[in-house]
Amino acid sequence: MSAKSPRAMSTGLFRRVLRKPLGVVSGVVLILIVGGSLAARWIAPYDPLAQDFSIVKQGPSAAHLLGTDSLGRDILSRLLFGGQESLGGVLVAVVTMLIIAIPLGILAGYVGGLADRIILRVVDVLLSIPGTIITLAVLAIFNNSMFVAMVSVGVLASGAFIRVFRSAALSVRQELYIGAARVAGLGRLRIMAAHVLPQIRGVLLVQVTLFSAATLGIQTGLAFLAFGPPPPAPTWGGMVAEAASLIQSSPWLLVPSGGIIAVTTLALCLLGDALRDANQERFTLAGLERGARPVRAGAGAVLVPDAATVPDADREEALAPNPDALLSVRGLTVGFGAPGRETTAIQRVDFDIRPGEVVGLVGESGSGKTVTALALLGLLAGNGRITGGSIRLAGEELVGMSNAELRTVRGARIAMISQEPMVSLDPSFRVGYQIGEAIRAHERVGRAETQRRTRELLASVRLDPAVADRYPHEISGGMAQRIAIAMALAGRPELLIADEPTTALDVTVQADILDLLRTLQEETGMAIILVSHDWGVVADLCSRAIVMYAGEVVERAAVSEIFAAPRHPYTAALLRSNPHGARPGEPLPTIGGAVPPPHEWPVGCHFAARCPLATEACRQAPIDMAHLPGHRSSRCIRIDALAAELSEVAS
Amino acid sequence: MVRLIVNRLLLSIVLVVISSIAIFFLMSLVPGDPARSILGAAATPDSIERLRQQLGLDQPLLAQYGSWLLGALRGDLGESVFTGDQVVTLILARVPVTASLILLSTLVIAALGTALGLLSAVRGGVLGKVLDVVSLVGLALPSYWVAILLVALVAVALRIFPATGYFAFADDPGRWLLGLILPVAALSLGGVTIVAKQMRDSAMDVLARDYIRVLRATGVRESSIVLKHVLRNSALPSLTVVGLTVVGSLTGAVFVENVFVLPGLGTLVTQATTSHDLPVVLGVGVFFTLFVIVVNLAIDLLYGVLNPKVRVS
Ligand code: SF4
């Protein structure tokens, strides 16, 4: 195959398959089986029809490696010759299928329009015809001709494959270079032959192997039912039938005959899988797995060097959990990946939330805000784990709690609403039912009481009680976010984590939701952690802000103070680039560069690469939190330089 | 929803007509005389002529098809060339066997496939690996071969279940079930693994959705998340696969009935094919097509029940 298409892409595909042990083994097995059948005339030890009644129904021996059948014929030889019939039948079906499916599939997908619609209709019909019966009818009409039967199998199967090739061609059509070829004036046919066909080659190979596996089952099955060449001609299916009739006296016969079919099918399936994986890899970035960096110093160790020069009164968030805080987070570190080889996503995160306080968690995407929020509830995705630190809720340690224990926290004490309200509701259930579930998760209440509370919650988020009967796809994004808030309030939490609650909403709806959150906070007295990248939202709602950058907290301060005088260059840059903080008339500055992904974190200050004040000292070693007067802290060693620069700009 | 069903039914009618036309068309393609090839080398010119008349082969193709279609609409599918029995009578006598087989295996496939898939999505690990291997083996081993093995091991060697034969449900429900256990097992193996794999994939997909995280964050019990939300949302794609395996089990039934010597439609059509009894093959074809239509319709209806978006529109 690679000889026919000496292109880089194709050799790439084959090289990838060669890297998969299962793919290689399957390929070798298939080559052996196909080669053995083709060369049967030369390599078979005996004539497949030669009978020897002195050695009937023998097990494997040196003379007859796979034993002999009831007429004393050598089974290995019969298998080798039988392969010609079975594999030949598969080839007939595959070729027939391809002759029909490739042109029609490409035509439907690439040309589209009327041709597409007609072809799809025909495919619908082909797909619903009971193929077996047609094949059997063909056998009845065409006097047991296996050849014609396999042609009809190919025709009947082409429907499904037209669909596969159609969608492959469809996706190719949308690629840019096809447009370029069209502009260059190449005819449709030539474009299809030159561009579409090579592109769908990967899909094609996968489908051909899988279809071959299925067809082998049909071919041998028909032979098993005594269709096709009559005895004594050797066929794989016929040999299974023979074995079945002798099952009591010589069960061994079932092994080689069924085994060769199973091994061939298995090899085809595995090769298909390997091809599919290799084909998919071609389209994903190869660099994704690169550079998982081991975690650095243990979480406990990083807490120690916190500046000893800071006055005691301002170290309240530094070491020990704060007993007065509702939530006290210390040294929180989260890793993703296999234990021992984790990629650190956030490290040594410290902060406190007091009862009833509204705190903003600010940073660009990739700064670790959402990971921090999810870690608080023990809801890290996939292979994420808390690898160090402590989370205390009113003095109680949450890190290390079992899921069952955490369930009493989730919703009841800490609740959460997320970024995308439309996907945070289960599309299959009415929204009222989902609110009811949230209520019943924490209290054993009857149906009537659940309904009453549901109405009450809907009213509290300013929704008509009738909304309860709607499905998520029948409500707007703003309504969905209100429902999500109602669900979060159902357990009467002390702390609400709102992860970018307005980002996905229309600008007009955003203000309403923020208003609602403010009112609800005042009514219930719950604390709120507002995760956001928008200073305007933070200024609107929060009294304090925690700024994160590349997995670390870089600054903590009261919102008013941060706006007046940021004490970290990142906060300063973030404020400058924010439309809400911009001075009228001045062009909006942006921070050059991007947040580095975890495996590219530098040893020293994470912000050094983008920091205008960076010096050599910044890059030497991890930067510790500096605690400043007025309950402020900043992870920077050049706070004075920043302050001087800011006052210079101001004057 | 109603429109969907009407569309389906219309398509189905087209389907029956097309598949019967296809067979007629194929008959006309046969090189030489079908009557001769049916009767074989020993035929006399007389007997060939008689068969030609009986099959209506002396008429033009369109007229042949017309009279067959008119008969079929009246419930008359012609007579067996071989035994002279009414095709409809022959078929109806055997429907219960095939229907029992397919009904039971569908239940097994749906229930076991769903349970295994869901379990391996939630528990993952070892069960997932086992499922992978079993499903691969299930795909690779031909169903008739598994059937033979079951007969050999369980029925003949251990003498637990009857190896072959069929008892009518009305006569003896116990023996009916006992006799069908092995055939159903052989018929279901492939389907169970296919459905389980699909179920696992879609359940894992659902488990990664935001609304599952929201439910967890709300403190909803994991058991009710899995049994209500994951099950309900992953049921849709699995349903399609169940439908496909049920349709596919028609083919499986032909093989399995032969191995277990069950007097169903599969053995009927095999015998008819061997003896070139075209009216019977055609008749069974009509029944199988009807079956496919009914299954597809049932799947569509269930889909509508499960998917609120379809139900509303
Ligand atoms: S430590 Fe250095 S590089 Fe980091 S923010 Fe401060 S001045 Fe910039």
Side-chain angles (χ1 to χ4, degrees), chain A residues 568-570 605-609 611-615 617-619 623 635-639:
Chain A
H568 192 280
Y570 176 61
C605 177
H606 286 186
F607 188 55
C611 180
L613 299 176
T615 62
C618 303
R619 297 190 176 88
I623 310 292
R635 198 181 290 280
C636 177
I637 52 172
R638 303 202 62 208
I639 299 173

Side-chain angles (χ1 to χ4, degrees), chain A residues 128 132-133 136 140-141 220-221 225 247 254 258 262 270 407 410-411 423-424 426-428 433 437-438 442 471 473, chain B residues 15 30 136 141 144-145 152 210-211 214 216-219 221 228-229 233 251 255 258 273 276 285 288 308-309 311:
Chain A
S128 341
T132 339
I133 290 297
L136 286 177
I141 296 165
T220 56
L225 292 180
I247 185 87
L254 207 48
L270 289 173
R407 209 178 67 76
R410 294 175 188 154
V423 295
S424 59
D426 185 333
S428 302
Y433 180 84
E437 256 190 314
H442 307 287
Y471 282 97
H473 69 272
Chain B
L15 202 68
V30 183
L136 209 58
L141 295 176
Y144 57 90
W145 194 77
D210 282 28
Y211 55 80
V214 169
R216 286 193 177 132
T218 319
R221 259 184 203 81
K228 262 189 237 156
H229 297 271
N233 283 292
T251 307
F255 295 124
N258 273 293
T273 307
H276 303 290
F288 273 24
K309 286 185 201 173
R311 203 183 323 159

Side-chain angles (χ1 to χ4, degrees), chain A residues 493-569:
Chain A
E494 299 152 67
L495 172 64
L496 176 70
I497 302 171
D499 186 2
E500 308 249 13
T502 57
T503 312
L505 301 176
D506 284 351
V507 185
T508 46
V509 184
Q510 287 184 3
D512 293 346
I513 295 290
L514 290 177
D515 270 350
L516 178 66
L517 280 177
R518 194 197 341 265
T519 324
L520 288 171
Q521 195 276 328
E522 282 160 8
E523 284 170 14
T524 61
M526 64 184 172
I528 295 181
I529 297 180
L530 186 80
V531 179
S532 182
H533 64 273
D534 186 339
W535 282 112
V537 172
V538 172
D540 206 18
L541 234 58
C542 305
S543 57
R544 274 196 316 134
I546 300 162
V547 183
M548 287 191 74
Y549 183 80
E552 292 180 325
V553 172
V554 294
E555 182 165 7
R556 288 184 302 250
V559 167
S560 54
E561 290 174 20
I562 275 198
F563 273 93
R567 283 291 174 263
H568 192 280

